[in-house]
Amino acid sequence: MIRDVEFLIIGGGPAGLSAALAATEHGVQTLVIDESIKLGGQLIKQTHKFFGSKMERAGTRGFVIGEQLVQELSQRENFSAMTGTTAAGIYEDGVVTAVRNETEWLKFRPKKILIATGASERMIAFPGNDLPGVYGAGAVQTLMNVYGILPGERVLMVGAGNIGLIVSYQLLQAGVRVAAVVEIMDKIGGYWVHASKIRRLGVPILTRYTIIRANGNESVESAVIAKVDDNFNPIPGTEVEVKVDTICLAVGLTPTLELLFQAGAQMKYVPELGGDVPLRDRFLRTSVENIYVAGDAAGIEEASSAMLEGNIVGLAVAKSLGYDVPDFERKIEVLENELKVLRAGPLSQKIREGLKKVLVSWEN
């Protein structure tokens, strides 16, 4: 049996939940499906307070924002959600299939679809990277902040972007020692406020360093790091062995876009945005007329940007379905301007460059 739904959102993270709020506010019957057991996406494991303005709920911790979004949506009769539900395919006839709790197959026929599937963690190759004790930073966040499990006692963090710096601080808060943060570039990629917090706690941040190998028999016992030259090749004689039982990789994210590829959306490889991403218009509509994209699936950014993009999609979907959206253009412009403010800093330059490559204007 196929279930008809006006607006199907695949992914219940900051982008998906924000789109649901905006759409349901204007009357759209909205269904969110998410493979996790709990809505919120990355928000449920983010314990730090957000930057930005009131529009991005600045000053509120990420997991609290997730709880707020879910609570607000639960009050709306035109909203429903299915957790433990994985979208399996989007087909030419517009039908979306999904599997719930690994046993129940479902079919939906939505009028509009938002792909807000987030991103997957990148890994890097080095001898010993298959040893127990080698984690992605997101996995460490999930272990600690969702399940209350420490990944180890002494950690080497690889990558000094925001994720690496934030997770390092969260490890320290949990009583885990962080031996060092190594970064292959000549400067950190995250905000100085995050770097300063861990430096004040005695954690060295070593730029122009990378991991060479992990040592251990049945699990990680140490890691070898080394300086790199201008071509990012390890410099012989600079190797240092660091005694750790955990190696945490914070080396970037890649948009999760299998469904958009299957749907036939026009894609483009844009390294500034994390890899392959869909072309989209100002309302984040892809080349497939009824499919939109937002959040990390549209390009790797912060959760604050994802929420704003979700709001834009929710308003655009409501408008396209014929619902009354008072002051539609003004509301969109306010959200667009807020995004410009968030993307105005020097760390967002590559995002600004990347977005220039994917923004289009569809004829219809």
Side-chain angles (χ1 to χ4, degrees), residues 278-316:
L279 302 181
R280 81 297 298 263
D281 64 13
R282 65 180 293 218
F283 305 118
L284 293 130
R285 183 166 64 96
T286 71
S287 61
V288 182
E289 183 178 359
N290 294 321
I291 299 181
Y292 297 74
V293 66
D296 279 347
I300 306 303
E301 285 194 76
E302 301 292 326
S304 299
S305 301
M307 289 189 288
L308 293 172
E309 288 184 340
N311 280 316
I312 290 173
V313 171
L315 291 173

Side-chain angles (χ1 to χ4, degrees), residues 218-245:
E218 296 183 357
S219 63
V220 172
E221 298 174 9
S222 69
V224 176
I225 62 175
K227 290 183 178 180
V228 297
D229 60 23
D230 292 340
N231 295 316
F232 306 112
N233 295 315
I235 301 173
T238 65
E239 298 87 353
V240 177
E241 184 175 10
V242 184
K243 294 293 183 182
V244 293
D245 59 12

Side-chain angles (χ1 to χ4, degrees), residues 53 68 72 190 218 327 338 361:
S53 69
Q68 291 174 346
E72 291 168 24
E218 296 183 357
D327 299 321
E338 188 68 14
S361 179

Side-chain angles (χ1 to χ4, degrees), residues 133-186:
V134 179
Y135 294 92
V140 167
Q141 269 193 316
T142 301
L143 281 174
M144 291 196 303
N145 299 344
V146 179
Y147 298 107
I149 299 172
L150 297 181
E153 297 180 357
R154 186 173 168 86
V155 175
L156 173 70
M157 179 65 67
V158 181
N162 279 326
I163 293 177
L165 298 173
I166 289 170
V167 175
S168 293
Y169 185 65
Q170 291 173 353
L171 284 162
L172 293 167
Q173 288 179 305
V176 179
R177 295 183 64 187
V178 179
V181 177
V182 296
E183 169 59 54
I184 199 168
M185 304 300 291
D186 58 3

Side-chain angles (χ1 to χ4, degrees), residues 57-118:
R57 306 181 189 235
T60 306
R61 299 189 185 278
F63 74 93
V64 176
I65 294 175
E67 293 171 353
Q68 291 174 346
L69 293 171
V70 172
Q71 176 62 26
E72 291 168 24
L73 284 166
S74 69
Q75 306 301 313
R76 299 185 177 176
E77 294 182 356
N78 55 341
F79 171 78
S80 59
M82 292 183 176
T83 55
T85 304
T86 302
I90 300 177
Y91 298 94
E92 293 180 357
D93 58 0
V95 171
V96 176
T97 60
V99 59
R100 189 178 191 185
N101 298 325
E102 300 183 357
T103 58
E104 181 185 4
W105 281 93
L106 307 169
K107 292 184 178 181
F108 306 99
R109 185 184 289 111
K111 293 181 179 179
K112 303 290 181 180
I113 302 171
L114 168 60
I115 304 297
T117 44

